[in-house]
């Protein structure tokens, strides 16, 4: 009897836990269905919610697939040479999925020329060598910017001729050193303010508005084969800025300044409007220049909330946005202008956004252990379709 009761109790508890599992599954399903309602989680109305299970199905049937394997244009990642040298998982995620490396920070002016006339090539050389061994290309970022200016430049005293020489020497030494191995460059980064005016950077102040055109000429003289880009951020939300950048690009082309492409950084959020994004990419593509989505990452926690919760709805929205970017790029940019899409680093914990905002976020395609996230498959699906 005692035994019978014990068995009966075990059966009852098995039935109870089975019921609990079914109940939980139904709740989860209901949750996923309600998460399709954009109002429920303040995701932009255009967001096409991806059902996680369909993406996971792609994942398991196609586990040998890689981003570069499915893409019809180069897929890049901004790479930190220290992580590359020290972390085998980082290296393997890179080599499997990418065929282009952007120099995340190591080719900025403060790193390459920390003291006047003293160039430090070590980190960028390491990326270039790694890329050569692994059959990848390298995109150099960035020659002239208002950030990452070394102190010796900030303190530099001289007339406009001396400033011109300083700028020209930096550009030509760097582009010359990597002639033939870094085949494309962000020549000028972020020269505009949000209101469309030219940023009053140290370069602008000493050299006037046309310093931008001269940067391209100097870079071209140093390596006539290199593809030269203007790169800027946030153009996707700021019409005045994107109109100003567009006008400058047209002006440079009309004057036969050697510019080959434009980089849209694409630091966006799950809430960024896809229609605005489509419009700005279409506008830039109408210049005929190469189009590079150059620094793609997508914030989940766009309000920088301290109580952010990583729900399935947010993961879906994130994967959908990655998918949308790939589809918009393929749909709007003519094949001959598709320079590629570059992710701004690999694993979530490597992202600049975490150090920048100090709020929780998961902006990239790999988690902190370099496992592929749902968003990886969203992006892959967008590249494939
Ligand atoms: C800009 C720059 C990048 C990087 C990011 C994040 O987008 O172009 O080099 O510094 O900011 O910090």
């Amino acid at each position: 009897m005692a035994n019978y009761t014990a068995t009966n109790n075990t059966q009852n508890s098995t039935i109870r836990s089975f019921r609990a599992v079914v109940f939980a599954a139904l709740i989860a399903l209901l949750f996923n269905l309600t998460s399709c309602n954009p109002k429920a989680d303040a995701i932009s109305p255009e967001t096409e919610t991806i059902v996680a299970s369909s993406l996971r199905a792609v994942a398991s049937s196609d586990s040998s697939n890689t981003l570069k394997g499915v893409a019809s244009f180069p897929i890049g990642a901004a790479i930190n040479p220290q992580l590359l040298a020290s972390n085998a998982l980082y290296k393997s995620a890179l080599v499997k999925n990418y065929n282009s490396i952007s120099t995340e920070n190591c080719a900025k002016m403060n790193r390459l020329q920390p003291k006047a006339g003293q160039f430090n090539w070590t980190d960028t050389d390491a990326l270039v060598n790694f890329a050569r061994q692994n059959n990848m290309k390298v995109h150099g970022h960035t020659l002239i910017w208002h950030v990452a200016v070394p102190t010796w430049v900030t303190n530099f005293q001289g007339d406009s001729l001396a400033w011109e020489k300083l700028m020209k020497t930096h550009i030509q030494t760097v582009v010359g050193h990597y002639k033939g191995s870094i085949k494309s460059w962000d020549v000028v980064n972020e020269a505009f303010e949000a209101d469309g005016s030219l940023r009053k950077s140290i370069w602008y102040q000493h050299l006037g508005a046309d310093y931008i055109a001269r940067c391209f000429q100097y870079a071209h003289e140093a390596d006539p084969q290199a593809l030269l880009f203007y790169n800027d951020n946030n153009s996707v939300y700021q019409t005045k800025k994107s109109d100003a950048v567009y006008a400058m690009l047209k002006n440079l082309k009309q004057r036969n300044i050697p510019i080959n492409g434009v980089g849209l950084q694409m630091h966006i959020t799950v809430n960024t409007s896809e229609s605005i994004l489509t419009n700005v990419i279409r506008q830039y593509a109408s210049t005929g220049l190469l189009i590079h989505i150059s620094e793609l990452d997508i914030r989940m926690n766009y309000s920088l909330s301290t109580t952010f919760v990583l729900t399935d709805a947010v993961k879906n929205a994130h994967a959908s946005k990655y998918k949308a970017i790939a589809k918009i790029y393929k749909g709007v940019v003519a094949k001959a202008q598709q320079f590629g899409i570059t992710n701004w680093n690999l694993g979530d914990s490597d992202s600049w956004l975490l150090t920048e905002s100090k709020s929780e976020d998961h902006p990239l395609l790999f988690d902190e252990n370099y496992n592929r996230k749902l968003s990886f498959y969203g992006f892959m699906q967008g590249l494939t379709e």
Side-chain angles (χ1 to χ4, degrees), residues 104-105 108 141-142 145 189-190 231 233 265 267 295 344 352 356:
E104 186 190 30
N105 290 314
K108 291 174 177 171
H141 170 87
T142 175
W145 189 24
N189 195 33
E190 300 179 344
N231 194 51
N233 69 0
Q265 292 182 1
H267 297 296
E295 304 186 14
W344 206 243
W352 69 286
E356 178 100 341

mmCIF file with all atom_site columns, all heavy atoms in Angstrom, residues 104-105 108 141-142 145 189-190 231 233 265 267 295 344 352 356, ligand 1:
data_model
loop_
_atom_site.group_PDB
_atom_site.id
_atom_site.type_symbol
_atom_site.label_atom_id
_atom_site.label_alt_id
_atom_site.label_comp_id
_atom_site.label_asym_id
_atom_site.label_entity_id
_atom_site.label_seq_id
_atom_site.pdbx_PDB_ins_code
_atom_site.Cartn_x
_atom_site.Cartn_y
_atom_site.Cartn_z
_atom_site.occupancy
_atom_site.B_iso_or_equiv
_atom_site.pdbx_formal_charge
_atom_site.auth_seq_id
_atom_site.auth_comp_id
_atom_site.auth_asym_id
_atom_site.auth_atom_id
_atom_site.pdbx_PDB_model_num
ATOM   1   N N   . GLU A 1 104 ? 39.677 48.814 -36.045 1.00 0.00 ? 104 GLU A N   1
ATOM   2   C CA  . GLU A 1 104 ? 38.728 49.484 -35.134 1.00 0.00 ? 104 GLU A CA  1
ATOM   3   C C   . GLU A 1 104 ? 39.316 50.781 -34.553 1.00 0.00 ? 104 GLU A C   1
ATOM   4   O O   . GLU A 1 104 ? 38.770 51.855 -34.735 1.00 0.00 ? 104 GLU A O   1
ATOM   5   C CB  . GLU A 1 104 ? 38.327 48.552 -33.989 1.00 0.00 ? 104 GLU A CB  1
ATOM   6   C CG  . GLU A 1 104 ? 37.246 49.168 -33.110 1.00 0.00 ? 104 GLU A CG  1
ATOM   7   C CD  . GLU A 1 104 ? 36.999 48.380 -31.837 1.00 0.00 ? 104 GLU A CD  1
ATOM   8   O OE1 . GLU A 1 104 ? 37.930 47.745 -31.330 1.00 0.00 ? 104 GLU A OE1 1
ATOM   9   O OE2 . GLU A 1 104 ? 35.862 48.406 -31.333 1.00 0.00 ? 104 GLU A OE2 1
ATOM   10  N N   . ASN A 1 105 ? 40.400 50.670 -33.846 1.00 0.00 ? 105 ASN A N   1
ATOM   11  C CA  . ASN A 1 105 ? 41.010 51.865 -33.234 1.00 0.00 ? 105 ASN A CA  1
ATOM   12  C C   . ASN A 1 105 ? 42.480 52.056 -33.590 1.00 0.00 ? 105 ASN A C   1
ATOM   13  O O   . ASN A 1 105 ? 43.005 53.149 -33.467 1.00 0.00 ? 105 ASN A O   1
ATOM   14  C CB  . ASN A 1 105 ? 40.893 51.790 -31.701 1.00 0.00 ? 105 ASN A CB  1
ATOM   15  C CG  . ASN A 1 105 ? 39.459 51.957 -31.239 1.00 0.00 ? 105 ASN A CG  1
ATOM   16  O OD1 . ASN A 1 105 ? 38.749 52.855 -31.696 1.00 0.00 ? 105 ASN A OD1 1
ATOM   17  N ND2 . ASN A 1 105 ? 39.010 51.070 -30.369 1.00 0.00 ? 105 ASN A ND2 1
ATOM   18  N N   . LYS A 1 108 ? 43.897 54.910 -35.921 1.00 0.00 ? 108 LYS A N   1
ATOM   19  C CA  . LYS A 1 108 ? 43.538 56.313 -35.686 1.00 0.00 ? 108 LYS A CA  1
ATOM   20  C C   . LYS A 1 108 ? 44.824 57.088 -35.425 1.00 0.00 ? 108 LYS A C   1
ATOM   21  O O   . LYS A 1 108 ? 45.853 56.516 -35.049 1.00 0.00 ? 108 LYS A O   1
ATOM   22  C CB  . LYS A 1 108 ? 42.568 56.399 -34.502 1.00 0.00 ? 108 LYS A CB  1
ATOM   23  C CG  . LYS A 1 108 ? 41.198 55.795 -34.867 1.00 0.00 ? 108 LYS A CG  1
ATOM   24  C CD  . LYS A 1 108 ? 40.236 55.716 -33.706 1.00 0.00 ? 108 LYS A CD  1
ATOM   25  C CE  . LYS A 1 108 ? 38.890 55.178 -34.212 1.00 0.00 ? 108 LYS A CE  1
ATOM   26  N NZ  . LYS A 1 108 ? 37.952 54.869 -33.105 1.00 0.00 ? 108 LYS A NZ  1
ATOM   27  N N   . HIS A 1 141 ? 40.806 52.693 -41.101 1.00 0.00 ? 141 HIS A N   1
ATOM   28  C CA  . HIS A 1 141 ? 39.918 53.652 -40.441 1.00 0.00 ? 141 HIS A CA  1
ATOM   29  C C   . HIS A 1 141 ? 40.735 54.323 -39.336 1.00 0.00 ? 141 HIS A C   1
ATOM   30  O O   . HIS A 1 141 ? 41.230 53.611 -38.469 1.00 0.00 ? 141 HIS A O   1
ATOM   31  C CB  . HIS A 1 141 ? 38.727 52.891 -39.853 1.00 0.00 ? 141 HIS A CB  1
ATOM   32  C CG  . HIS A 1 141 ? 37.861 53.723 -38.957 1.00 0.00 ? 141 HIS A CG  1
ATOM   33  N ND1 . HIS A 1 141 ? 36.830 54.488 -39.435 1.00 0.00 ? 141 HIS A ND1 1
ATOM   34  C CD2 . HIS A 1 141 ? 37.848 53.907 -37.590 1.00 0.00 ? 141 HIS A CD2 1
ATOM   35  C CE1 . HIS A 1 141 ? 36.225 55.100 -38.424 1.00 0.00 ? 141 HIS A CE1 1
ATOM   36  N NE2 . HIS A 1 141 ? 36.824 54.770 -37.301 1.00 0.00 ? 141 HIS A NE2 1
ATOM   37  N N   . THR A 1 142 ? 40.957 55.560 -39.335 1.00 0.00 ? 142 THR A N   1
ATOM   38  C CA  . THR A 1 142 ? 40.555 56.593 -40.244 1.00 0.00 ? 142 THR A CA  1
ATOM   39  C C   . THR A 1 142 ? 41.672 57.640 -40.274 1.00 0.00 ? 142 THR A C   1
ATOM   40  O O   . THR A 1 142 ? 42.341 57.848 -39.265 1.00 0.00 ? 142 THR A O   1
ATOM   41  C CB  . THR A 1 142 ? 39.216 57.205 -39.796 1.00 0.00 ? 142 THR A CB  1
ATOM   42  O OG1 . THR A 1 142 ? 38.877 58.303 -40.637 1.00 0.00 ? 142 THR A OG1 1
ATOM   43  C CG2 . THR A 1 142 ? 39.279 57.737 -38.367 1.00 0.00 ? 142 THR A CG2 1
ATOM   44  N N   . TRP A 1 145 ? 40.224 62.905 -38.474 1.00 0.00 ? 145 TRP A N   1
ATOM   45  C CA  . TRP A 1 145 ? 39.013 62.921 -37.628 1.00 0.00 ? 145 TRP A CA  1
ATOM   46  C C   . TRP A 1 145 ? 39.243 63.963 -36.544 1.00 0.00 ? 145 TRP A C   1
ATOM   47  O O   . TRP A 1 145 ? 40.387 64.285 -36.220 1.00 0.00 ? 145 TRP A O   1
ATOM   48  C CB  . TRP A 1 145 ? 38.867 61.509 -37.027 1.00 0.00 ? 145 TRP A CB  1
ATOM   49  C CG  . TRP A 1 145 ? 37.606 61.188 -36.299 1.00 0.00 ? 145 TRP A CG  1
ATOM   50  C CD1 . TRP A 1 145 ? 36.375 61.777 -36.447 1.00 0.00 ? 145 TRP A CD1 1
ATOM   51  C CD2 . TRP A 1 145 ? 37.446 60.178 -35.285 1.00 0.00 ? 145 TRP A CD2 1
ATOM   52  N NE1 . TRP A 1 145 ? 35.466 61.177 -35.616 1.00 0.00 ? 145 TRP A NE1 1
ATOM   53  C CE2 . TRP A 1 145 ? 36.085 60.200 -34.893 1.00 0.00 ? 145 TRP A CE2 1
ATOM   54  C CE3 . TRP A 1 145 ? 38.307 59.255 -34.680 1.00 0.00 ? 145 TRP A CE3 1
ATOM   55  C CZ2 . TRP A 1 145 ? 35.573 59.333 -33.920 1.00 0.00 ? 145 TRP A CZ2 1
ATOM   56  C CZ3 . TRP A 1 145 ? 37.802 58.393 -33.720 1.00 0.00 ? 145 TRP A CZ3 1
ATOM   57  C CH2 . TRP A 1 145 ? 36.444 58.423 -33.353 1.00 0.00 ? 145 TRP A CH2 1
ATOM   58  N N   . ASN A 1 189 ? 36.560 61.396 -41.390 1.00 0.00 ? 189 ASN A N   1
ATOM   59  C CA  . ASN A 1 189 ? 35.486 60.833 -40.567 1.00 0.00 ? 189 ASN A CA  1
ATOM   60  C C   . ASN A 1 189 ? 34.738 61.971 -39.876 1.00 0.00 ? 189 ASN A C   1
ATOM   61  O O   . ASN A 1 189 ? 35.365 62.866 -39.288 1.00 0.00 ? 189 ASN A O   1
ATOM   62  C CB  . ASN A 1 189 ? 36.116 59.909 -39.511 1.00 0.00 ? 189 ASN A CB  1
ATOM   63  C CG  . ASN A 1 189 ? 35.118 58.989 -38.836 1.00 0.00 ? 189 ASN A CG  1
ATOM   64  O OD1 . ASN A 1 189 ? 34.141 58.545 -39.452 1.00 0.00 ? 189 ASN A OD1 1
ATOM   65  N ND2 . ASN A 1 189 ? 35.362 58.683 -37.568 1.00 0.00 ? 189 ASN A ND2 1
ATOM   66  N N   . GLU A 1 190 ? 33.411 61.965 -39.996 1.00 0.00 ? 190 GLU A N   1
ATOM   67  C CA  . GLU A 1 190 ? 32.532 62.825 -39.175 1.00 0.00 ? 190 GLU A CA  1
ATOM   68  C C   . GLU A 1 190 ? 32.853 64.318 -39.267 1.00 0.00 ? 190 GLU A C   1
ATOM   69  O O   . GLU A 1 190 ? 33.036 64.981 -38.245 1.00 0.00 ? 190 GLU A O   1
ATOM   70  C CB  . GLU A 1 190 ? 32.585 62.390 -37.709 1.00 0.00 ? 190 GLU A CB  1
ATOM   71  C CG  . GLU A 1 190 ? 32.141 60.966 -37.498 1.00 0.00 ? 190 GLU A CG  1
ATOM   72  C CD  . GLU A 1 190 ? 32.217 60.517 -36.053 1.00 0.00 ? 190 GLU A CD  1
ATOM   73  O OE1 . GLU A 1 190 ? 32.881 61.176 -35.237 1.00 0.00 ? 190 GLU A OE1 1
ATOM   74  O OE2 . GLU A 1 190 ? 31.609 59.474 -35.746 1.00 0.00 ? 190 GLU A OE2 1
ATOM   75  N N   . ASN A 1 231 ? 33.321 59.030 -44.366 1.00 0.00 ? 231 ASN A N   1
ATOM   76  C CA  . ASN A 1 231 ? 32.570 58.211 -43.416 1.00 0.00 ? 231 ASN A CA  1
ATOM   77  C C   . ASN A 1 231 ? 31.884 59.116 -42.385 1.00 0.00 ? 231 ASN A C   1
ATOM   78  O O   . ASN A 1 231 ? 32.492 60.067 -41.891 1.00 0.00 ? 231 ASN A O   1
ATOM   79  C CB  . ASN A 1 231 ? 33.583 57.298 -42.696 1.00 0.00 ? 231 ASN A CB  1
ATOM   80  C CG  . ASN A 1 231 ? 32.941 56.163 -41.928 1.00 0.00 ? 231 ASN A CG  1
ATOM   81  O OD1 . ASN A 1 231 ? 32.116 55.419 -42.472 1.00 0.00 ? 231 ASN A OD1 1
ATOM   82  N ND2 . ASN A 1 231 ? 33.303 56.008 -40.663 1.00 0.00 ? 231 ASN A ND2 1
ATOM   83  N N   . ASN A 1 233 ? 28.515 59.468 -39.183 1.00 0.00 ? 233 ASN A N   1
ATOM   84  C CA  . ASN A 1 233 ? 27.557 58.771 -38.305 1.00 0.00 ? 233 ASN A CA  1
ATOM   85  C C   . ASN A 1 233 ? 26.190 59.416 -38.335 1.00 0.00 ? 233 ASN A C   1
ATOM   86  O O   . ASN A 1 233 ? 26.015 60.503 -38.847 1.00 0.00 ? 233 ASN A O   1
ATOM   87  C CB  . ASN A 1 233 ? 28.070 58.758 -36.861 1.00 0.00 ? 233 ASN A CB  1
ATOM   88  C CG  . ASN A 1 233 ? 28.071 60.132 -36.227 1.00 0.00 ? 233 ASN A CG  1
ATOM   89  O OD1 . ASN A 1 233 ? 27.695 61.118 -36.846 1.00 0.00 ? 233 ASN A OD1 1
ATOM   90  N ND2 . ASN A 1 233 ? 28.485 60.213 -34.991 1.00 0.00 ? 233 ASN A ND2 1
ATOM   91  N N   . GLN A 1 265 ? 27.937 54.888 -41.005 1.00 0.00 ? 265 GLN A N   1
ATOM   92  C CA  . GLN A 1 265 ? 28.400 54.110 -39.843 1.00 0.00 ? 265 GLN A CA  1
ATOM   93  C C   . GLN A 1 265 ? 27.351 53.121 -39.359 1.00 0.00 ? 265 GLN A C   1
ATOM   94  O O   . GLN A 1 265 ? 27.649 51.988 -39.038 1.00 0.00 ? 265 GLN A O   1
ATOM   95  C CB  . GLN A 1 265 ? 28.809 55.054 -38.713 1.00 0.00 ? 265 GLN A CB  1
ATOM   96  C CG  . GLN A 1 265 ? 30.045 55.856 -39.025 1.00 0.00 ? 265 GLN A CG  1
ATOM   97  C CD  . GLN A 1 265 ? 30.459 56.739 -37.864 1.00 0.00 ? 265 GLN A CD  1
ATOM   98  O OE1 . GLN A 1 265 ? 29.838 56.740 -36.802 1.00 0.00 ? 265 GLN A OE1 1
ATOM   99  N NE2 . GLN A 1 265 ? 31.521 57.521 -38.061 1.00 0.00 ? 265 GLN A NE2 1
ATOM   100 N N   . HIS A 1 267 ? 25.381 53.103 -36.500 1.00 0.00 ? 267 HIS A N   1
ATOM   101 C CA  . HIS A 1 267 ? 25.203 52.779 -35.080 1.00 0.00 ? 267 HIS A CA  1
ATOM   102 C C   . HIS A 1 267 ? 23.733 53.097 -34.792 1.00 0.00 ? 267 HIS A C   1
ATOM   103 O O   . HIS A 1 267 ? 23.384 54.260 -34.555 1.00 0.00 ? 267 HIS A O   1
ATOM   104 C CB  . HIS A 1 267 ? 26.111 53.657 -34.201 1.00 0.00 ? 267 HIS A CB  1
ATOM   105 C CG  . HIS A 1 267 ? 27.573 53.446 -34.455 1.00 0.00 ? 267 HIS A CG  1
ATOM   106 N ND1 . HIS A 1 267 ? 28.205 52.254 -34.205 1.00 0.00 ? 267 HIS A ND1 1
ATOM   107 C CD2 . HIS A 1 267 ? 28.525 54.283 -34.951 1.00 0.00 ? 267 HIS A CD2 1
ATOM   108 C CE1 . HIS A 1 267 ? 29.489 52.356 -34.516 1.00 0.00 ? 267 HIS A CE1 1
ATOM   109 N NE2 . HIS A 1 267 ? 29.713 53.582 -34.984 1.00 0.00 ? 267 HIS A NE2 1
ATOM   110 N N   . GLU A 1 295 ? 29.976 50.607 -39.848 1.00 0.00 ? 295 GLU A N   1
ATOM   111 C CA  . GLU A 1 295 ? 30.189 50.381 -38.405 1.00 0.00 ? 295 GLU A CA  1
ATOM   112 C C   . GLU A 1 295 ? 28.911 49.843 -37.765 1.00 0.00 ? 295 GLU A C   1
ATOM   113 O O   . GLU A 1 295 ? 28.487 50.302 -36.702 1.00 0.00 ? 295 GLU A O   1
ATOM   114 C CB  . GLU A 1 295 ? 30.607 51.696 -37.731 1.00 0.00 ? 295 GLU A CB  1
ATOM   115 C CG  . GLU A 1 295 ? 31.830 52.339 -38.339 1.00 0.00 ? 295 GLU A CG  1
ATOM   116 C CD  . GLU A 1 295 ? 32.328 53.573 -37.587 1.00 0.00 ? 295 GLU A CD  1
ATOM   117 O OE1 . GLU A 1 295 ? 31.904 53.803 -36.457 1.00 0.00 ? 295 GLU A OE1 1
ATOM   118 O OE2 . GLU A 1 295 ? 33.155 54.303 -38.164 1.00 0.00 ? 295 GLU A OE2 1
ATOM   119 N N   . TRP A 1 344 ? 30.594 46.435 -36.217 1.00 0.00 ? 344 TRP A N   1
ATOM   120 C CA  . TRP A 1 344 ? 31.573 47.149 -35.380 1.00 0.00 ? 344 TRP A CA  1
ATOM   121 C C   . TRP A 1 344 ? 31.952 46.274 -34.181 1.00 0.00 ? 344 TRP A C   1
ATOM   122 O O   . TRP A 1 344 ? 31.484 46.442 -33.089 1.00 0.00 ? 344 TRP A O   1
ATOM   123 C CB  . TRP A 1 344 ? 31.045 48.517 -34.970 1.00 0.00 ? 344 TRP A CB  1
ATOM   124 C CG  . TRP A 1 344 ? 32.170 49.470 -34.685 1.00 0.00 ? 344 TRP A CG  1
ATOM   125 C CD1 . TRP A 1 344 ? 32.452 50.070 -33.502 1.00 0.00 ? 344 TRP A CD1 1
ATOM   126 C CD2 . TRP A 1 344 ? 33.189 49.921 -35.599 1.00 0.00 ? 344 TRP A CD2 1
ATOM   127 N NE1 . TRP A 1 344 ? 33.579 50.855 -33.634 1.00 0.00 ? 344 TRP A NE1 1
ATOM   128 C CE2 . TRP A 1 344 ? 34.049 50.785 -34.907 1.00 0.00 ? 344 TRP A CE2 1
ATOM   129 C CE3 . TRP A 1 344 ? 33.455 49.674 -36.956 1.00 0.00 ? 344 TRP A CE3 1
ATOM   130 C CZ2 . TRP A 1 344 ? 35.158 51.404 -35.491 1.00 0.00 ? 344 TRP A CZ2 1
ATOM   131 C CZ3 . TRP A 1 344 ? 34.560 50.288 -37.535 1.00 0.00 ? 344 TRP A CZ3 1
ATOM   132 C CH2 . TRP A 1 344 ? 35.393 51.134 -36.807 1.00 0.00 ? 344 TRP A CH2 1
ATOM   133 N N   . TRP A 1 352 ? 31.976 48.962 -28.115 1.00 0.00 ? 352 TRP A N   1
ATOM   134 C CA  . TRP A 1 352 ? 32.222 50.287 -27.531 1.00 0.00 ? 352 TRP A CA  1
ATOM   135 C C   . TRP A 1 352 ? 30.978 50.791 -26.805 1.00 0.00 ? 352 TRP A C   1
ATOM   136 O O   . TRP A 1 352 ? 31.074 51.579 -25.877 1.00 0.00 ? 352 TRP A O   1
ATOM   137 C CB  . TRP A 1 352 ? 32.615 51.288 -28.619 1.00 0.00 ? 352 TRP A CB  1
ATOM   138 C CG  . TRP A 1 352 ? 31.493 51.620 -29.548 1.00 0.00 ? 352 TRP A CG  1
ATOM   139 C CD1 . TRP A 1 352 ? 30.979 50.830 -30.528 1.00 0.00 ? 352 TRP A CD1 1
ATOM   140 C CD2 . TRP A 1 352 ? 30.715 52.828 -29.584 1.00 0.00 ? 352 TRP A CD2 1
ATOM   141 N NE1 . TRP A 1 352 ? 29.942 51.455 -31.172 1.00 0.00 ? 352 TRP A NE1 1
ATOM   142 C CE2 . TRP A 1 352 ? 29.763 52.695 -30.608 1.00 0.00 ? 352 TRP A CE2 1
ATOM   143 C CE3 . TRP A 1 352 ? 30.742 54.009 -28.857 1.00 0.00 ? 352 TRP A CE3 1
ATOM   144 C CZ2 . TRP A 1 352 ? 28.832 53.694 -30.924 1.00 0.00 ? 352 TRP A CZ2 1
ATOM   145 C CZ3 . TRP A 1 352 ? 29.816 55.018 -29.171 1.00 0.00 ? 352 TRP A CZ3 1
ATOM   146 C CH2 . TRP A 1 352 ? 28.878 54.840 -30.190 1.00 0.00 ? 352 TRP A CH2 1
ATOM   147 N N   . GLU A 1 356 ? 30.724 52.940 -23.367 1.00 0.00 ? 356 GLU A N   1
ATOM   148 C CA  . GLU A 1 356 ? 30.198 54.288 -23.578 1.00 0.00 ? 356 GLU A CA  1
ATOM   149 C C   . GLU A 1 356 ? 29.017 54.596 -22.656 1.00 0.00 ? 356 GLU A C   1
ATOM   150 O O   . GLU A 1 356 ? 28.979 55.615 -21.992 1.00 0.00 ? 356 GLU A O   1
ATOM   151 C CB  . GLU A 1 356 ? 29.742 54.393 -25.034 1.00 0.00 ? 356 GLU A CB  1
ATOM   152 C CG  . GLU A 1 356 ? 29.134 55.695 -25.424 1.00 0.00 ? 356 GLU A CG  1
ATOM   153 C CD  . GLU A 1 356 ? 30.137 56.550 -26.154 1.00 0.00 ? 356 GLU A CD  1
ATOM   154 O OE1 . GLU A 1 356 ? 31.349 56.306 -26.041 1.00 0.00 ? 356 GLU A OE1 1
ATOM   155 O OE2 . GLU A 1 356 ? 29.707 57.456 -26.831 1.00 0.00 ? 356 GLU A OE2 1
HETATM 156 C C1  . LIG B 2 .   ? 32.712 56.493 -34.433 1.00 0.00 ? 1   LIG B C1  1
HETATM 157 C C2  . LIG B 2 .   ? 34.071 56.232 -35.027 1.00 0.00 ? 1   LIG B C2  1
HETATM 158 C C3  . LIG B 2 .   ? 34.589 54.874 -34.684 1.00 0.00 ? 1   LIG B C3  1
HETATM 159 C C4  . LIG B 2 .   ? 34.360 54.499 -33.251 1.00 0.00 ? 1   LIG B C4  1
HETATM 160 C C5  . LIG B 2 .   ? 32.924 54.717 -32.922 1.00 0.00 ? 1   LIG B C5  1
HETATM 161 C C6  . LIG B 2 .   ? 32.609 54.289 -31.546 1.00 0.00 ? 1   LIG B C6  1
HETATM 162 O O1  . LIG B 2 .   ? 31.726 55.840 -35.076 1.00 0.00 ? 1   LIG B O1  1
HETATM 163 O O2  . LIG B 2 .   ? 34.080 56.361 -36.408 1.00 0.00 ? 1   LIG B O2  1
HETATM 164 O O3  . LIG B 2 .   ? 35.952 54.837 -34.935 1.00 0.00 ? 1   LIG B O3  1
HETATM 165 O O4  . LIG B 2 .   ? 35.194 55.248 -32.428 1.00 0.00 ? 1   LIG B O4  1
HETATM 166 O O5  . LIG B 2 .   ? 32.633 56.088 -33.105 1.00 0.00 ? 1   LIG B O5  1
HETATM 167 O O6  . LIG B 2 .   ? 33.381 54.912 -30.589 1.00 0.00 ? 1   LIG B O6  1
#
